[in-house]
């Protein structure tokens, strides 16, 4: 297709790959918004649900933990569940990015500019 252009043919190929990668990353970002993860604390008494992008979408608290004397414990459990959900969201996002870079034939751990 671009024979005789030397390095320019390689550059065109790289540009095409970069465009494909950018499209796939955009698709992945959309998919991450619809994937959910659930973080837990207190042996499942508090559960936080988030998208794989880290947006908190739900909170489930077992009614057995509601006791006025345990207000601080409940608050700590809620925060722990949210942090767990956010951590799982980050892990899921990294897994999806690793899968995408592998599909594109890029080196593992490569940082993408987009």
């Amino acid at each position: 297709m671009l024979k005789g252009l030397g390095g320019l043919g390689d550059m065109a190929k790289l540009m095409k790959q970069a465009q494909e990668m950018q499209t796939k990353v955009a698709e992945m970002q959309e998919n991450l918004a619809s994937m959910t993860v659930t973080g837990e604390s207190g042996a499942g008494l508090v559960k936080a649900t988030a998208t794989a992008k880290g947006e908190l979408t739900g909170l489930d608290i077992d009614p057995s933990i509601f006791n006025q004397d345990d207000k601080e414990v409940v608050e700590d459990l809620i925060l722990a569940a949210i942090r767990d959900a956010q951590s799982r969201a980050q892990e899921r996002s990294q897994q999806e990015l690793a899968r995408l870079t592998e599909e594109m034939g890029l080196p593992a751990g490569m940082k993408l500019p987009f």
Side-chain angles (χ1 to χ4, degrees):
M1 175 165 124
L2 295 173
K3 290 185 178 184
L5 296 178
L8 291 179
D10 290 340
M11 180 61 87
K13 182 180 176 183
L14 285 174
M15 292 298 292
K16 183 178 178 184
Q17 286 177 327
Q19 288 174 336
E20 287 175 13
M21 184 66 172
Q22 194 168 18
T23 300
K24 289 188 179 207
V25 167
E27 290 172 3
M28 183 192 75
Q29 291 291 337
E30 286 179 28
N31 291 339
L32 290 175
S34 64
M35 292 178 190
T36 59
V37 294
T38 302
E40 299 181 2
S41 67
L45 293 174
V46 177
K47 297 176 184 175
T49 304
T51 67
K53 288 184 87 169
E55 180 183 330
L56 186 64
T57 59
L59 187 61
D60 181 41
I61 303 171
D62 188 296
S64 68
I65 66 172
F66 290 110
N67 179 342
Q68 203 168 27
D69 297 332
D70 296 331
K71 179 181 181 299
E72 289 181 24
V73 172
V74 172
E75 291 170 345
D76 289 343
L77 289 173
I78 291 169
L79 288 174
I82 291 170
R83 287 187 193 113
D84 188 38
Q86 289 172 330
S87 174
R88 290 172 191 242
Q90 185 176 12
E91 288 173 18
R92 183 65 182 264
S93 179
Q94 289 172 351
Q95 289 170 353
E96 291 298 311
L97 186 57
R99 182 189 57 76
L100 181 62
T101 55
E102 184 180 320
E103 285 177 5
M104 294 291 294
L106 299 171
M110 180 177 177
K111 301 288 184 204
L112 300 175
F114 13 80

